[in-house]
């Protein structure tokens, strides 16, 4: 009976077995046959494959990404210089400064505002997840390139993230009132949900998210990543970007909008798809 500890040797053995073509199930069977408790064997298998396999999957997939010159703190995006304030590898998260000008933030809010009012009584159904709030949050979508501002901002985001405009959804604008929050969720479509195949026909999976803050709330409203204890303050014109190579929690892209404690919060969200989104 082996000691029930996941050693580097055990991890190495698991990788060898899987690399040699043995299925996870047969590796699990072999571990159980040699005395491992099923739950511990499963945990060892999952941990090892996550640590070894996720980076391989990430490396083999083309994802939206900011490409910077070595040592640079800013990146030129179409028509504007954008600051890269924070860069995290796992999960892949970037905090960007000055993506939109103060005037562009204001104009985006003004263009969205009348359409929020009209959709007041409509139940919010974004498909992937819902804004969980008490009547205080409202949303609307702009069509891609619907107006000059959207077209300009989308061209900038596409250049910034090296991802064609056609693979992006239209900008979604959200307004959170006092007390409103967005409970932690994933932005990808859950492969186990029955409605997902239909959603995926229109551009494939979501692979990355860019949330741009259109104002600075008086208090609260940070974007939080609970898996990694990380949060991004909502500051007008700044943005948080994150990508996910797989529609799986192992990407650690669980995120939410913390409650707005005073004032209001406006964001513009751009979701990037694998393929052309029409
Ligand atoms: O407003 C946010 O901070 C936020 C948080 C989580 C926005 C979204 N998700 C989203 O638009 O998906
Ligand atoms: Zn989200």
């Amino acid at each position: 009976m082996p000691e029930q500890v996941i050693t580097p040797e055990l991890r190495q053995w698991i990788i060898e077995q899987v690399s040699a073509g043995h299925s996870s199930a047969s590796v699990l069977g072999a571990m159980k046959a040699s005395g491992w408790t099923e739950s511990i064997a499963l945990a060892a298998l999952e941990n090892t494959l996550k640590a070894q396999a996720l980076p391989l999957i990430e490396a083999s997939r083309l994802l939206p990404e900011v490409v910077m010159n070595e040592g640079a703190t800013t990146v030129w995006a179409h028509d504007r210089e954008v600051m890269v304030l924070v860069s995290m590898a796992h999960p892949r998260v970037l905090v960007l400064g000055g993506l939109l000008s103060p005037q562009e933030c204001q104009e985006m809010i003004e263009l969205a505002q009348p359409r929020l009012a009209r959709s007041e009584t409509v139940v919010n159904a974004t498909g992937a997840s819902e804004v969980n709030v008490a009547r205080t949050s409202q949303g609307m979508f702009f069509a891609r390139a619907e107006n000059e501002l959207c077209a300009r901002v989308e061209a900038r985001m596409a250049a910034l993230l090296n991802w064609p405009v056609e693979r992006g959804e239209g900008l979604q604008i959200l307004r959170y009132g006092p007390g409103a929050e967005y409970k932690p969720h994933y932005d990808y479509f859950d492969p186990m949900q029955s409605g997902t195949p239909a959603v995926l026909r229109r551009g494939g999976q979501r692979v990355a998210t860019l949330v741009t803050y259109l104002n600075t709330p008086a208090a609260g409203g940070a974007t939080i990543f609970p898996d990694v204890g990380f949060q991004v303050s909502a500051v007008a014109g700044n943005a948080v970007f994150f990508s996910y190579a797989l529609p799986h929690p192992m990407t650690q892209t669980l995120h939410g909008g913390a409650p707005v404690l005073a004032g209001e919060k406006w964001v513009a969200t751009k979701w990037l798809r694998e393929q052309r989104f029409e």
Side-chain angles (χ1 to χ4, degrees):
M1 176 75 177
E3 201 188 339
Q4 310 270 294
V5 173
I6 304 166
T7 61
E9 290 74 28
L10 174 65
R11 295 170 80 92
Q12 188 55 39
W13 178 82
I14 290 173
I15 292 161
E16 279 164 17
Q17 299 307 302
V18 172
S19 304
H22 298 291
S23 69
S24 302
S26 71
V27 177
L28 181 65
M31 289 178 73
K32 280 165 66 182
S34 60
W36 286 84
T37 305
E38 184 172 47
S39 61
I40 295 177
L42 252 179
L45 200 53
E46 208 180 88
N47 274 321
T48 303
L49 294 182
K50 175 182 159 185
Q52 312 291 325
L54 186 62
L56 288 177
I57 291 164
E58 283 173 348
S60 70
R61 290 235 167 130
L62 189 60
L63 292 173
E65 185 55 88
V66 175
V67 179
M68 295 179 70
N69 293 324
E70 201 182 329
T73 51
T74 63
V75 60
W76 185 256
H78 180 64
D79 59 349
R80 192 170 167 85
E81 187 149 49
V82 177
M83 285 177 280
V84 179
L85 302 174
V86 174
S87 171
M88 181 153 59
H90 301 288
R92 182 60 177 149
V93 181
L94 292 168
V95 181
L96 304 158
L99 177 58
L100 264 62
S101 73
Q103 295 75 24
E104 287 170 332
C105 290
Q106 196 49 42
E107 194 186 338
M108 193 72 81
I109 289 173
E110 279 163 17
L111 288 169
Q113 181 113 58
R115 285 160 63 180
L116 292 181
R118 248 180 289 150
S119 64
E120 213 163 29
T121 54
V122 176
V123 174
N124 190 307
T126 57
S129 44
E130 290 192 7
V131 180
N132 188 328
V133 290
R135 264 173 287 152
T136 46
S137 174
Q138 303 160 305
M140 60 81 66
F141 271 96
F142 285 114
R144 234 171 28 217
E146 170 175 335
N147 52 51
E148 195 275 329
L149 176 65
C150 284
R152 186 191 334 142
V153 166
E154 283 162 359
R156 189 180 302 157
M157 292 173 168
L160 174 72
L161 301 174
N162 293 285
W163 207 250
V165 166
E166 297 72 35
R167 296 192 190 185
E169 299 179 29
L171 284 165
Q172 185 200 46
I173 309 297
L174 289 178
R175 176 195 171 271
Y176 304 73
E181 68 181 306
Y182 202 157
K183 289 267 162 65
H185 60 274
Y186 299 97
D187 280 355
Y188 55 73
F189 302 106
D190 183 351
M192 304 309 265
Q193 287 286 316
S194 59
T196 294
V199 177
L200 297 188
R201 250 169 260 137
R202 211 181 155 199
Q205 262 293 358
R206 286 177 174 165
V207 290
T209 305
L210 178 64
V211 177
T212 305
Y213 308 105
L214 300 178
N215 78 324
T216 306
T223 302
I224 57 171
F225 293 80
D227 284 349
V228 287
F230 183 70
Q231 70 175 56
V232 180
S233 303
V235 173
N238 288 4
V240 59
F241 164 81
F242 51 98
S243 64
Y244 23 99
L246 291 173
H248 193 282
M250 72 164 74
T251 56
Q252 297 185 300
T253 54
L254 184 69
H255 66 286
V260 174
L261 302 178
E264 56 179 17
K265 172 188 175 190
W266 289 81
V267 300
T269 301
K270 170 67 81 180
W271 284 294
L272 293 321
R273 297 289 193 106
E274 290 174 292
Q275 293 134 29
R276 261 185 105 85
F277 177 83
E278 300 302 343

